[in-house]
Amino acid sequence: MKGINAVALALTATTASASLVPHYFKRATSLPAVSVQGNAFFAGGNRFYIRGVDYQPGGSSGSIDPIADQSTCERDITEFQKLNINTVRIYTVDNSQNHDACMSALASAGIYLALDVNTPKYSINQDAPAPSYNPVYLQSVFSTIDAFQTYTNTLLFFSGNEDINSVATTSSAPYVKAVTRDMKNYISARKYRSIPVGYSAADVDTLIYQTADFMNCGDDAMARSDFFAYNDYSWCDPSSFSGSTWQAKATYFANFSIPLFLSEYGCVKTTRKFEEIATLYGSQMTPSYSGGLVYEYSKETTAAPADLYGLVEINGDSVSELTDFGTLASAFSNTPSPTGSGGYRSSGAPAACPTADSNWNVTTGSELPVFPSGAATYLKNGAGTAPGLSGSGSQNSGPASVSFASGSSVAATSTSTSTSTSGSKKSAADGRVGDSTPVMACGLVVALSTLLGMALL
């Protein structure tokens, strides 16, 4: 994703009169929650395929939350409905803001949210992960979970995005996996519904399989990802199942035990015809894959070649549909989601942890960083006040070394070993290319939202 300069946000909730409320706010504002069964997603008893776009007007590393502003999401939901999609991925949100209006609008339009929990200031530093894995960081992550766990159309959470994109950065893998574990433990401890947590990987040929296996290995089920996704740009039209890397990956993942999907796709080396969509939702892929997300909704730069991405161009409140928009809409229209089970597997075994080699610099096996003792209060009392996008950040808030341990490792154990990392300070939240008080407040928001909804019916 492309970065933009950080901007100060001062978003406030506004109440519109019933005559000004868009039509989709007057319909049902709930969707069936999505769960993991075997290696597939299910919603309302039916297999669920992700058909969506990556959505971050302003760029993923910018401090703009597109679903904290009602006018922004209203503007774009109209376009989403034209595409007939069911999912959007958002890379950055402000966890201190209220998202009721936009999440309700998305739900009414039949759209789920796949959400990254990191922000430019609160993320794992892929080059020096140890200091960035700390209670300050986890408080922000947990605050995002608090903010979105009430919505049934919160589809899933990404614990990281492309942190592992070179041999040097493979050492950050245990930290990303620890964040997955911590998020799942937090959701469980807070007695929230079981929202899937997983990782979005960079499609690096020499790392993709080790990364996938690492996220799905070990005896601790809470540490294993609930799904695995990766950003794939290997299909450049005209291409094919065998002409891209899709066949090789489908073969490798034929017995993978958790859901797979493409968290980004849509090569721009050639004119995009989105011919891969027919294959993505066809019989060669559905036994292991659950769809994907097209990169990206809005054009974010004029610099080549990234200027070729984007389905629409946004100018203030105006949206202009680009050529790719119509092409994608046609491709989706011509390729309905499969019916039936799609050949999914209802059970399977975790992967074997990859061994260290010249490409995979992880020597701790299935051991992971021990959950920071300073973050234990969040499991019991909740995350508290969210830092939002204006917080001071967390990447240098931890010690230079942390203890590693096997098992759930919510607290340090006698089997812990110590490791240290050092390096330049770089956030991996930038994307491609480069307490009971909160619970009470949340309940009040839900109650007020329900009353408002009744008044509008």
Side-chain angles (χ1 to χ4, degrees), residues 233-410:
Y233 295 90
S234 69
W235 185 308
C236 301
D237 292 319
S239 191
S240 64
F241 183 59
S242 58
S244 64
T245 66
W246 287 27
Q247 184 175 40
K249 290 188 175 73
T251 299
Y252 185 87
F253 290 124
N255 294 308
F256 210 57
S257 63
I258 58 177
L260 288 161
F261 65 93
L262 305 183
S263 39
E264 296 176 7
Y265 72 92
C267 171
V268 294
K269 291 181 179 179
T270 58
T271 300
R272 298 207 287 189
K273 298 180 180 179
F274 297 109
E275 294 174 344
E276 65 265 48
I277 286 178
T279 297
L280 182 57
Y281 299 98
S283 60
Q284 292 171 307
M285 296 287 281
T286 59
S288 296
Y289 287 78
S290 293
L293 298 151
V294 172
Y295 187 86
E296 67 180 316
Y297 173 68
S298 52
K299 181 178 179 179
E300 298 301 334
T301 182
T302 58
D307 62 321
L308 298 176
Y309 293 103
L311 306 173
V312 304
E313 191 162 13
I314 300 173
N315 184 9
D317 294 330
S318 174
V319 175
S320 300
E321 296 171 3
L322 303 176
T323 300
D324 283 356
F325 185 96
T327 305
L328 179 61
S330 294
F332 276 142
S333 178
N334 293 332
T335 310
S337 287
T339 58
S341 70
Y344 96 104
R345 296 175 302 283
S346 60
S347 62
C353 290
T355 57
D357 59 22
S358 60
N359 292 317
W360 189 251
N361 187 28
V362 178
T363 60
T364 54
S366 62
E367 290 188 345
L368 300 176
V370 173
F371 182 68
S373 59
T377 183
Y378 306 141
L379 301 181
K380 180 180 179 181
N381 301 314
T385 302
L389 294 174
S390 60
S392 58
S394 64
Q395 290 199 347
N396 299 306
S397 297
S401 64
V402 302
S403 295
F404 276 53
S406 299
S408 297
S409 55
V410 170

Side-chain angles (χ1 to χ4, degrees), residues 40-52:
F41 295 115
F42 279 79
N46 299 313
R47 184 167 176 189
F48 180 85
Y49 294 90
I50 295 171
R51 299 164 62 90

